[in-house]
């Protein structure tokens, strides 16, 4: 009877999770989705506390653990600034994987003599996957927080070494299927998984982080589902499957937006490309036109429509609030302002949207690449702010370029293109951008935030008013 | 665990995967970061497993691992839901002549 009631609560939880994600499909209903998720979660946890295995001492430990978790979780939820969101998300994948791997190891030691071959295999795989997602996500978070170098670290035979370690891990899992009494092997297996996680992320550059974060999300979900299979808990299977597919879909979208495969992202060591590739015909000294902020402001003011293309540079400079001010000033002058957002702009899926939403930009002005790409010929002025590879026309025709075939924002079709950049240095992937040499392009050199501040002062005429 | 139970579990996994694919495909790119934060909070339901490991407290090792696991999951649930809500609150409705305007912050 009690067991049935608990399982019923899990069923309600699974339905709640489904609704929660369904409501995420529109900004207007998304917050309702959170409440559905929270309610479902609460029901499932309360039901679990009635499980007969939990003893009196256990309740004390549970209360302490929940309190410690909440004490760390609340500041992580409330205090983290939006600019630190990519590393915050990566960190949460690490915590999720740690929880799953630790439970999996405990389960192996407790019930190795009860489990059949199938459960042992799933459990072994779960420990392997959970362990590598844990350190992999920590590495990703470290790179995103710039505690670790963002440049890929590559050595000869790297991929072979990684495959060998993964192969060894799988071999240990298979051995444990048949000889679970050698349960001590779970510890070296877990350690191996932790090493694999580090090794897999070392060669990955910052520009590939959106895909990698999505993939780690997917793996974390998959390992949760595997734990659910072993524990025979359907709710955990469902939640893990939902998390896994969410990560998978995001990873697919990111890969499509870069015209690359998972294999290429994980083992291709992109971003290590030498600068000779893709320089193309622009290798010769081509003239570059530059403009001062007041000249640029004048052109923007005269335009009917301005499209702002944000990139990682805007996030680094934390210029999103100044960008909003510039847009407000332009709109006051009767200029139509929109934002064009490439799927892989920034360091995680949806990065630019979150930053601009933080700066109070209404979300109907944030347009996807597909929504806006055909409109560029009618746009008077484009302001490229800290974006580089996603607007590089070499992706269309330069077959030798590493970004060849990647869908880009067609900013070169606009009447005037302004690029805010610190210097002529090439972008993250080390590729020359021929857009900078386009006769319609004006380079505005300087820090993104400083330039945008100047621009908005010029446009609003405040500079003259103060008498500068 | 019998073959029946395993097959049922695999059924649930497959169907949940399909459901997830269809539902999550419809989430606009605008909301992809909150989506990741939310699914992360939801998958912290691994608590249903770790609470039992910790609560049962069979061996010292299992209790320590259970404790780590409950703490990590709790961080993800609490932090995940809070941060998703914080992000979604920022997504300002398009300015319309209608009075239905949500406070900015």
């Amino acid at each position: 009877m009690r067991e049935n009631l608990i399982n019923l609560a899990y069923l309600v939880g699974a339905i709640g999770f489904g609704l929660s994600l369904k409501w995420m499909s529109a900004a207007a209903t998304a917050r309702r989705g959170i409440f559905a998720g929270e309610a479902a979660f609460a029901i499932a946890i309360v039901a679990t506390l009635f499980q007969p295995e939990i003893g009196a001492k256990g309740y004390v430990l549970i209360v302490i653990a929940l309190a410690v978790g909440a004490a760390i979780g609340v500041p992580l939820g409330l205090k983290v600034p939006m600019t630190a969101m990519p590393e915050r998300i990566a960190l949460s994948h690490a915590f999720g994987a740690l929880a799953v791997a630790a439970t999996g190891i405990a389960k192996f030691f407790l019930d190795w003599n009860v489990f059949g071959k199938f459960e042992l295999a799933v459990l072994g795989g779960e420990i392997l996957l959970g362990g590598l997602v844990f350190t992999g996500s920590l590495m990703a978070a470290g790179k995103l927080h710039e505690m670790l170098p963002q440049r890929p670290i590559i050595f000869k035979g790297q991929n072979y070494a990684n495959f060998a370690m993964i192969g060894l891990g799988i071999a240990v899992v298979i051995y444990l299927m048949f000889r679970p009494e050698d349960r001590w092997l779970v510890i070296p297996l877990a350690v191996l998984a932790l090493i694999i996680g580090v090794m897999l992320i070392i060669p990955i550059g910052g520009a590939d982080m959106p895909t990698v974060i999505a993939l780690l999300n997917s793996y974390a979900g998959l390992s949760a589902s595997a734990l659910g299979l072993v524990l025979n808990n359907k709710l955990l299977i469902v939640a893990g499957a939902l998390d896994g597919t969410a990560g998978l879909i995001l990873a697919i979208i990111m890969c499509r937006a870069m015209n690359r495969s998972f294999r290429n992202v994980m083992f291709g060591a992109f971003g290590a490309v030498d600068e000779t590739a893709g320089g193309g015909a622009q290798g010769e000294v081509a003239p570059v036109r530059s403009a001062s902020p007041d000249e640029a402001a004048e052109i923007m003011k005269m335009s009917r429509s301005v499209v702002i293309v944000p990139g990682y540079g805007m996030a680094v400079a934390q210029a999103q609030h100044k960008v909003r001010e510039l847009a407000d000033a332009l709109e006051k002058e009767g200029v139509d302002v929109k934002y064009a957002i490439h799927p892989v702009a920034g360091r995680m899926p949806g990065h630019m949207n979150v930053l601009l939403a933080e700066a109070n930009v209404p979300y109907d002005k944030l347009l996807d690449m597909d929504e806006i790409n055909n409109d560029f010929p009618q746009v008077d002025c484009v302001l490229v702010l800290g974006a580089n590879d996603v607007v590089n026309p070499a992706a269309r025709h330069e077959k030798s370029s590493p970004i060849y075939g990647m869908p880009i924002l067609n900013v070169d079709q606009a009447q005037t293109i302004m690029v805010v950049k610190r210097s002529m240095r090439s972008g993250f992937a080390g590729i020359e951008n021929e857009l900078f040499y386009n006769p319609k392009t004006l380079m505005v050199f300087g820090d993104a935030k400083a330039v945008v501040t100047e621009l908005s002062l010029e446009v609003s005429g405040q500079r003259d008013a103060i008498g500068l | 665990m019998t073959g029946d139970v395993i097959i049922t579990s695999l059924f649930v996994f497959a169907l949940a995967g399909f459901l997830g694919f269809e539902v999550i495909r419809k989430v606009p790119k605008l909301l992809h970061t909150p989506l990741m934060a939310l699914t992360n909070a939801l998958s912290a339901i691994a608590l249903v497993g770790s609470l039992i490991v910790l609560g049962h407290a069979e061996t010292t090792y299992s209790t320590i691992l259970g404790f780590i696991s409950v703490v990590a999951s709790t961080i993800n649930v609490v932090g995940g839901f809070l941060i998703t809500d914080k992000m979604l609150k920022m997504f300002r409705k398009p300015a319309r002549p209608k009075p239905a305007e949500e406070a900015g912050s």
Side-chain angles (χ1 to χ4, degrees):
Chain A
M1 181 61 194
R2 169 147 63 164
E3 205 193 327
N4 281 344
L5 278 177
I6 292 173
N7 279 327
L8 199 63
Y10 289 162
L11 176 64
V12 173
I15 294 169
F17 283 4
L19 282 174
S20 172
L21 288 174
K22 189 182 153 34
W23 280 326
M24 277 300 279
S25 60
T29 55
R31 289 191 71 200
R32 200 192 306 160
I34 301 184
F35 299 130
E38 285 169 344
F41 207 102
I43 290 169
I45 294 306
V46 170
T48 305
L49 292 175
F50 285 101
Q51 293 275 19
E53 291 102 318
I54 300 177
K57 185 181 155 213
Y59 282 113
V60 177
L61 288 170
I62 285 172
V63 170
I64 298 171
L66 290 178
V68 173
I72 304 170
V74 170
L76 267 182
L78 295 178
K79 294 270 161 64
V80 173
M82 286 304 139
T83 40
M85 198 51 69
E87 50 265 45
R88 166 69 182 80
I89 296 277
L91 208 55
S92 69
H93 295 155
F95 286 130
L98 172 66
V100 168
T103 308
I105 295 168
K107 266 290 169 195
F108 203 107
F109 278 98
L110 291 176
D111 293 337
W112 61 274
N113 49 359
V114 188
F115 287 141
K117 284 193 177 54
F118 175 78
E119 289 107 303
L120 288 169
V122 172
L123 196 51
E126 184 258 300
I127 293 168
L128 192 60
L129 202 56
L132 77 86
V133 172
F134 174 56
T135 46
S137 299
L138 283 182
M139 288 290 295
K143 283 192 170 205
L144 289 164
H145 204 68
E146 291 180 8
M147 283 158 56
L148 300 168
Q150 289 212 24
R151 278 265 168 205
I153 298 165
I154 297 158
F155 55 88
K156 265 223 164 82
Q158 191 164 30
N159 286 342
Y160 296 108
N162 288 348
F163 285 131
M165 283 193 296
I166 294 170
L168 179 62
I170 293 171
V172 175
V173 172
I174 293 172
Y175 179 85
L176 281 170
M177 263 172 83
F178 295 96
R179 298 282 304 274
E181 60 272 24
D182 289 338
R183 53 194 182 282
W184 59 271
L185 270 172
V186 168
I187 300 300
L189 177 69
V191 172
L192 181 69
L194 297 179
I195 297 170
I196 295 174
V198 174
M199 298 303 285
L200 281 180
I201 305 302
I202 277 181
I204 290 178
D208 278 340
M209 276 303 163
T211 320
V212 170
I213 288 194
L215 269 180
L216 287 170
N217 188 349
S218 185
Y219 294 163
L222 209 58
S223 59
S225 234
L227 183 63
L229 274 168
V230 173
L231 301 176
N232 189 23
N233 186 308
K234 306 282 189 286
L235 176 61
L236 185 49
I237 297 175
V238 170
L242 293 176
D243 194 26
T245 42
L248 187 65
I249 290 172
L250 293 179
I252 291 172
I253 292 173
M254 296 297 120
C255 276
R256 272 200 199 137
M258 295 193 296
N259 189 37
R260 298 173 59 208
S261 63
F262 289 157
R263 198 169 54 89
N264 187 262
V265 171
M266 290 308 289
F267 302 109
F270 193 67
V273 184
D274 58 330
E275 313 224 344
T276 50
Q282 315 306 350
E284 306 92 60
V285 196
V288 172
R289 294 201 302 153
S290 69
S292 66
D294 51 318
E295 287 163 342
E298 215 41 56
I299 296 171
M300 292 175 95
K301 243 162 110 172
M302 308 290 272
S303 306
R304 272 170 297 125
S305 58
V306 169
V307 170
I308 299 173
V309 179
Y312 183 55
M314 183 187 80
V316 172
Q318 304 202 16
Q320 65 271 25
H321 294 278
K322 292 294 170 193
V323 170
R324 218 271 335 276
E325 283 173 26
L326 171 63
D328 286 352
L330 284 169
E331 278 170 344
K332 226 174 241 168
E333 299 286 324
V335 183
D336 177 55
V337 183
K338 290 211 162 58
Y339 301 80
I341 297 177
H342 194 281
V344 292
R347 288 292 182 263
M348 67 176 166
H351 193 180
M352 294 298 121
N353 295 303
V354 175
L355 286 180
L356 289 167
E358 187 207 7
N360 260 329
V361 175
Y363 57 73
D364 60 338
K365 291 195 176 295
L366 308 174
L367 299 178
D368 285 348
M369 177 164 67
D370 305 336
E371 288 175 308
I372 200 164
N373 237 359
N374 293 328
D375 301 342
F376 277 109
Q378 283 89 51
V379 171
D380 293 328
C381 178
V382 166
L383 181 69
V384 179
L385 201 65
N388 194 340
D389 296 333
V390 298
V391 294
N392 191 345
R396 286 199 213 110
H397 56 79
E398 188 63 55
K399 287 217 171 85
S400 65
S401 171
I403 59 166
Y404 177 69
M406 166 175 162
I408 56 160
L409 290 162
N410 299 325
V411 297
D412 54 333
Q413 294 169 358
Q415 302 307 313
T416 306
I417 307 113
M418 289 179 199
V419 180
V420 179
K421 230 178 156 307
R422 277 178 177 280
S423 67
M424 284 304 288
R425 271 189 27 222
S426 50
F428 197 88
I431 307 158
E432 278 283 352
N433 194 337
E434 61 177 64
L435 179 73
F436 304 160
Y437 306 95
N438 187 317
K440 291 191 293 184
T441 301
L442 284 171
M443 303 296 294
V444 187
F445 291 111
D447 169 70
K449 193 173 182 176
V451 169
V452 174
T453 309
E454 293 253 330
L455 285 174
S456 79
L457 286 177
E458 289 290 344
V459 170
S460 62
Q462 276 175 36
R463 168 157 301 234
D464 305 330
I466 315 167
L468 284 169
Chain B
M1 217 182 282
T2 63
D4 257 12
V5 177
I6 292 171
I7 291 296
T8 316
S9 293
L10 290 175
F11 253 100
V12 171
F13 177 70
L15 292 178
F18 271 110
L19 173 82
F21 205 85
E22 288 307 314
V23 171
I24 293 163
R25 227 167 38 144
K26 298 205 176 75
V27 176
K29 293 201 177 81
L30 175 75
L31 297 178
H32 276 171
T33 302
L35 170 71
M36 276 199 297
L38 179 70
T39 53
N40 216 281
L42 295 186
S43 75
I45 196 70
L47 263 178
V48 294
S50 41
L51 281 176
I52 294 173
V53 170
L54 176 61
H56 203 175
E58 267 179 88
T59 66
T60 315
Y61 292 116
S62 78
T63 310
I64 292 171
L65 287 168
F67 192 87
I68 293 174
S69 167
V70 170
V71 170
S73 288
T74 312
I75 294 172
N76 262 5
V77 191
V78 177
F81 278 126
L82 283 175
I83 210 149
T84 314
D85 193 53
K86 189 176 157 189
M87 273 190 271
L88 288 176
K89 263 195 269 184
M90 296 179 332
F91 283 95
R92 196 161 64 110
K93 283 184 189 144
R96 292 262 160 73
K98 281 184 227 159
E101 184 77 21
E102 213 164 291
S105 54

PDB file of all heavy atoms in Angstrom, chain A residues 291-312:
ATOM      1  N   ALA A 291      36.610  54.610 -38.349  1.00  0.00           N
ATOM      2  CA  ALA A 291      35.820  55.788 -38.036  1.00  0.00           C
ATOM      3  C   ALA A 291      35.919  56.064 -36.552  1.00  0.00           C
ATOM      4  O   ALA A 291      36.123  55.161 -35.745  1.00  0.00           O
ATOM      5  CB  ALA A 291      34.360  55.563 -38.430  1.00  0.00           C
ATOM      6  N   SER A 292      35.774  57.327 -36.187  1.00  0.00           N
ATOM      7  CA  SER A 292      35.747  57.673 -34.768  1.00  0.00           C
ATOM      8  C   SER A 292      34.312  57.479 -34.278  1.00  0.00           C
ATOM      9  O   SER A 292      33.377  57.440 -35.069  1.00  0.00           O
ATOM     10  CB  SER A 292      36.172  59.117 -34.574  1.00  0.00           C
ATOM     11  OG  SER A 292      35.207  59.960 -35.170  1.00  0.00           O
ATOM     12  N   PRO A 293      34.126  57.350 -32.970  1.00  0.00           N
ATOM     13  CA  PRO A 293      32.767  57.143 -32.460  1.00  0.00           C
ATOM     14  C   PRO A 293      31.786  58.242 -32.880  1.00  0.00           C
ATOM     15  O   PRO A 293      30.629  57.953 -33.168  1.00  0.00           O
ATOM     16  CB  PRO A 293      32.967  57.127 -30.945  1.00  0.00           C
ATOM     17  CG  PRO A 293      34.359  56.666 -30.750  1.00  0.00           C
ATOM     18  CD  PRO A 293      35.126  57.193 -31.919  1.00  0.00           C
ATOM     19  N   ASP A 294      32.225  59.488 -32.973  1.00  0.00           N
ATOM     20  CA  ASP A 294      31.232  60.522 -33.328  1.00  0.00           C
ATOM     21  C   ASP A 294      30.821  60.430 -34.789  1.00  0.00           C
ATOM     22  O   ASP A 294      29.661  60.648 -35.128  1.00  0.00           O
ATOM     23  CB  ASP A 294      31.693  61.935 -32.941  1.00  0.00           C
ATOM     24  CG  ASP A 294      33.088  62.247 -33.441  1.00  0.00           C
ATOM     25  OD1 ASP A 294      33.935  61.351 -33.326  1.00  0.00           O
ATOM     26  OD2 ASP A 294      33.320  63.365 -33.944  1.00  0.00           O
ATOM     27  N   GLU A 295      31.769  60.037 -35.656  1.00  0.00           N
ATOM     28  CA  GLU A 295      31.381  59.796 -37.053  1.00  0.00           C
ATOM     29  C   GLU A 295      30.382  58.635 -37.129  1.00  0.00           C
ATOM     30  O   GLU A 295      29.362  58.711 -37.824  1.00  0.00           O
ATOM     31  CB  GLU A 295      32.619  59.449 -37.898  1.00  0.00           C
ATOM     32  CG  GLU A 295      33.530  60.632 -38.178  1.00  0.00           C
ATOM     33  CD  GLU A 295      34.921  60.194 -38.644  1.00  0.00           C
ATOM     34  OE1 GLU A 295      35.305  59.027 -38.445  1.00  0.00           O
ATOM     35  OE2 GLU A 295      35.607  61.047 -39.197  1.00  0.00           O
ATOM     36  N   ALA A 296      30.711  57.568 -36.395  1.00  0.00           N
ATOM     37  CA  ALA A 296      29.838  56.395 -36.401  1.00  0.00           C
ATOM     38  C   ALA A 296      28.448  56.751 -35.879  1.00  0.00           C
ATOM     39  O   ALA A 296      27.429  56.339 -36.443  1.00  0.00           O
ATOM     40  CB  ALA A 296      30.451  55.286 -35.545  1.00  0.00           C
ATOM     41  N   ALA A 297      28.402  57.541 -34.822  1.00  0.00           N
ATOM     42  CA  ALA A 297      27.121  57.933 -34.233  1.00  0.00           C
ATOM     43  C   ALA A 297      26.293  58.720 -35.245  1.00  0.00           C
ATOM     44  O   ALA A 297      25.075  58.540 -35.358  1.00  0.00           O
ATOM     45  CB  ALA A 297      27.361  58.773 -32.978  1.00  0.00           C
ATOM     46  N   GLU A 298      26.962  59.583 -35.999  1.00  0.00           N
ATOM     47  CA  GLU A 298      26.272  60.401 -36.995  1.00  0.00           C
ATOM     48  C   GLU A 298      25.593  59.497 -38.037  1.00  0.00           C
ATOM     49  O   GLU A 298      24.430  59.675 -38.379  1.00  0.00           O
ATOM     50  CB  GLU A 298      27.317  61.319 -37.663  1.00  0.00           C
ATOM     51  CG  GLU A 298      26.822  62.682 -38.048  1.00  0.00           C
ATOM     52  CD  GLU A 298      25.914  63.322 -36.993  1.00  0.00           C
ATOM     53  OE1 GLU A 298      26.317  63.462 -35.815  1.00  0.00           O
ATOM     54  OE2 GLU A 298      24.776  63.650 -37.378  1.00  0.00           O
ATOM     55  N   ILE A 299      26.329  58.483 -38.510  1.00  0.00           N
ATOM     56  CA  ILE A 299      25.785  57.557 -39.518  1.00  0.00           C
ATOM     57  C   ILE A 299      24.594  56.787 -38.944  1.00  0.00           C
ATOM     58  O   ILE A 299      23.564  56.621 -39.601  1.00  0.00           O
ATOM     59  CB  ILE A 299      26.885  56.573 -39.991  1.00  0.00           C
ATOM     60  CG1 ILE A 299      28.005  57.351 -40.700  1.00  0.00           C
ATOM     61  CG2 ILE A 299      26.296  55.516 -40.921  1.00  0.00           C
ATOM     62  CD1 ILE A 299      29.230  56.525 -41.007  1.00  0.00           C
ATOM     63  N   MET A 300      24.741  56.357 -37.704  1.00  0.00           N
ATOM     64  CA  MET A 300      23.649  55.581 -37.101  1.00  0.00           C
ATOM     65  C   MET A 300      22.394  56.425 -36.954  1.00  0.00           C
ATOM     66  O   MET A 300      21.279  55.964 -37.162  1.00  0.00           O
ATOM     67  CB  MET A 300      24.083  55.048 -35.728  1.00  0.00           C
ATOM     68  CG  MET A 300      25.170  54.008 -35.823  1.00  0.00           C
ATOM     69  SD  MET A 300      25.743  53.536 -34.198  1.00  0.00           S
ATOM     70  CE  MET A 300      24.767  52.131 -33.942  1.00  0.00           C
ATOM     71  N   LYS A 301      22.599  57.682 -36.581  1.00  0.00           N
ATOM     72  CA  LYS A 301      21.463  58.581 -36.367  1.00  0.00           C
ATOM     73  C   LYS A 301      20.694  58.811 -37.668  1.00  0.00           C
ATOM     74  O   LYS A 301      19.481  58.967 -37.678  1.00  0.00           O
ATOM     75  CB  LYS A 301      21.985  59.940 -35.862  1.00  0.00           C
ATOM     76  CG  LYS A 301      21.509  60.295 -34.466  1.00  0.00           C
ATOM     77  CD  LYS A 301      22.386  61.380 -33.909  1.00  0.00           C
ATOM     78  CE  LYS A 301      21.659  62.698 -33.809  1.00  0.00           C
ATOM     79  NZ  LYS A 301      22.499  63.674 -33.074  1.00  0.00           N
ATOM     80  N   MET A 302      21.441  58.833 -38.799  1.00  0.00           N
ATOM     81  CA  MET A 302      20.814  59.096 -40.098  1.00  0.00           C
ATOM     82  C   MET A 302      20.117  57.847 -40.642  1.00  0.00           C
ATOM     83  O   MET A 302      19.403  57.931 -41.627  1.00  0.00           O
ATOM     84  CB  MET A 302      21.872  59.526 -41.119  1.00  0.00           C
ATOM     85  CG  MET A 302      22.757  60.652 -40.677  1.00  0.00           C
ATOM     86  SD  MET A 302      21.838  62.180 -40.613  1.00  0.00           S
ATOM     87  CE  MET A 302      22.078  62.707 -42.290  1.00  0.00           C
ATOM     88  N   SER A 303      20.362  56.684 -40.018  1.00  0.00           N
ATOM     89  CA  SER A 303      19.812  55.439 -40.554  1.00  0.00           C
ATOM     90  C   SER A 303      18.347  55.313 -40.175  1.00  0.00           C
ATOM     91  O   SER A 303      17.890  55.873 -39.188  1.00  0.00           O
ATOM     92  CB  SER A 303      20.566  54.241 -39.985  1.00  0.00           C
ATOM     93  OG  SER A 303      21.941  54.381 -40.208  1.00  0.00           O
ATOM     94  N   ARG A 304      17.627  54.534 -41.012  1.00  0.00           N
ATOM     95  CA  ARG A 304      16.248  54.197 -40.640  1.00  0.00           C
ATOM     96  C   ARG A 304      16.250  52.960 -39.756  1.00  0.00           C
ATOM     97  O   ARG A 304      15.466  52.832 -38.850  1.00  0.00           O
ATOM     98  CB  ARG A 304      15.401  53.960 -41.890  1.00  0.00           C
ATOM     99  CG  ARG A 304      14.757  55.220 -42.441  1.00  0.00           C
ATOM    100  CD  ARG A 304      14.151  54.958 -43.806  1.00  0.00           C
ATOM    101  NE  ARG A 304      15.196  54.586 -44.760  1.00  0.00           N
ATOM    102  CZ  ARG A 304      15.183  53.478 -45.490  1.00  0.00           C
ATOM    103  NH1 ARG A 304      14.186  52.636 -45.401  1.00  0.00           N
ATOM    104  NH2 ARG A 304      16.169  53.197 -46.329  1.00  0.00           N
ATOM    105  N   SER A 305      17.161  52.026 -40.066  1.00  0.00           N
ATOM    106  CA  SER A 305      17.185  50.803 -39.274  1.00  0.00           C
ATOM    107  C   SER A 305      18.618  50.428 -38.910  1.00  0.00           C
ATOM    108  O   SER A 305      19.522  50.540 -39.732  1.00  0.00           O
ATOM    109  CB  SER A 305      16.535  49.664 -40.058  1.00  0.00           C
ATOM    110  OG  SER A 305      17.208  49.495 -41.277  1.00  0.00           O
ATOM    111  N   VAL A 306      18.784  50.041 -37.666  1.00  0.00           N
ATOM    112  CA  VAL A 306      20.085  49.606 -37.186  1.00  0.00           C
ATOM    113  C   VAL A 306      19.921  48.206 -36.590  1.00  0.00           C
ATOM    114  O   VAL A 306      18.968  47.947 -35.863  1.00  0.00           O
ATOM    115  CB  VAL A 306      20.632  50.571 -36.103  1.00  0.00           C
ATOM    116  CG1 VAL A 306      21.857  49.972 -35.420  1.00  0.00           C
ATOM    117  CG2 VAL A 306      20.962  51.921 -36.707  1.00  0.00           C
ATOM    118  N   VAL A 307      20.825  47.301 -36.946  1.00  0.00           N
ATOM    119  CA  VAL A 307      20.804  45.966 -36.356  1.00  0.00           C
ATOM    120  C   VAL A 307      22.100  45.764 -35.572  1.00  0.00           C
ATOM    121  O   VAL A 307      23.186  45.988 -36.102  1.00  0.00           O
ATOM    122  CB  VAL A 307      20.656  44.863 -37.433  1.00  0.00           C
ATOM    123  CG1 VAL A 307      20.887  43.485 -36.821  1.00  0.00           C
ATOM    124  CG2 VAL A 307      19.282  44.934 -38.068  1.00  0.00           C
ATOM    125  N   ILE A 308      21.952  45.407 -34.313  1.00  0.00           N
ATOM    126  CA  ILE A 308      23.127  45.182 -33.468  1.00  0.00           C
ATOM    127  C   ILE A 308      23.421  43.688 -33.425  1.00  0.00           C
ATOM    128  O   ILE A 308      22.526  42.878 -33.201  1.00  0.00           O
ATOM    129  CB  ILE A 308      22.876  45.731 -32.051  1.00  0.00           C
ATOM    130  CG1 ILE A 308      22.623  47.241 -32.127  1.00  0.00           C
ATOM    131  CG2 ILE A 308      24.056  45.416 -31.129  1.00  0.00           C
ATOM    132  CD1 ILE A 308      22.196  47.878 -30.835  1.00  0.00           C
ATOM    133  N   VAL A 309      24.673  43.316 -33.687  1.00  0.00           N
ATOM    134  CA  VAL A 309      25.086  41.905 -33.665  1.00  0.00           C
ATOM    135  C   VAL A 309      26.042  41.692 -32.483  1.00  0.00           C
ATOM    136  O   VAL A 309      27.217  42.011 -32.574  1.00  0.00           O
ATOM    137  CB  VAL A 309      25.785  41.509 -34.979  1.00  0.00           C
ATOM    138  CG1 VAL A 309      26.218  40.048 -34.935  1.00  0.00           C
ATOM    139  CG2 VAL A 309      24.872  41.754 -36.167  1.00  0.00           C
ATOM    140  N   PRO A 310      25.518  41.173 -31.369  1.00  0.00           N
ATOM    141  CA  PRO A 310      26.384  40.998 -30.205  1.00  0.00           C
ATOM    142  C   PRO A 310      27.138  39.680 -30.267  1.00  0.00           C
ATOM    143  O   PRO A 310      26.698  38.723 -30.890  1.00  0.00           O
ATOM    144  CB  PRO A 310      25.397  40.990 -29.040  1.00  0.00           C
ATOM    145  CG  PRO A 310      24.148  40.411 -29.619  1.00  0.00           C
ATOM    146  CD  PRO A 310      24.128  40.781 -31.083  1.00  0.00           C
ATOM    147  N   GLY A 311      28.290  39.637 -29.613  1.00  0.00           N
ATOM    148  CA  GLY A 311      29.077  38.407 -29.527  1.00  0.00           C
ATOM    149  C   GLY A 311      29.730  38.316 -28.157  1.00  0.00           C
ATOM    150  O   GLY A 311      29.429  39.113 -27.259  1.00  0.00           O
ATOM    151  N   TYR A 312      30.640  37.359 -28.039  1.00  0.00           N
ATOM    152  CA  TYR A 312      31.287  37.131 -26.755  1.00  0.00           C
ATOM    153  C   TYR A 312      31.969  38.404 -26.234  1.00  0.00           C
ATOM    154  O   TYR A 312      32.015  38.649 -25.025  1.00  0.00           O
ATOM    155  CB  TYR A 312      32.307  36.002 -26.904  1.00  0.00           C
ATOM    156  CG  TYR A 312      32.992  35.607 -25.632  1.00  0.00           C
ATOM    157  CD1 TYR A 312      32.253  35.241 -24.515  1.00  0.00           C
ATOM    158  CD2 TYR A 312      34.386  35.606 -25.532  1.00  0.00           C
ATOM    159  CE1 TYR A 312      32.885  34.882 -23.340  1.00  0.00           C
ATOM    160  CE2 TYR A 312      35.021  35.237 -24.361  1.00  0.00           C
ATOM    161  CZ  TYR A 312      34.273  34.883 -23.277  1.00  0.00           C
ATOM    162  OH  TYR A 312      34.902  34.527 -22.112  1.00  0.00           O
TER     163      TYR A 312
END
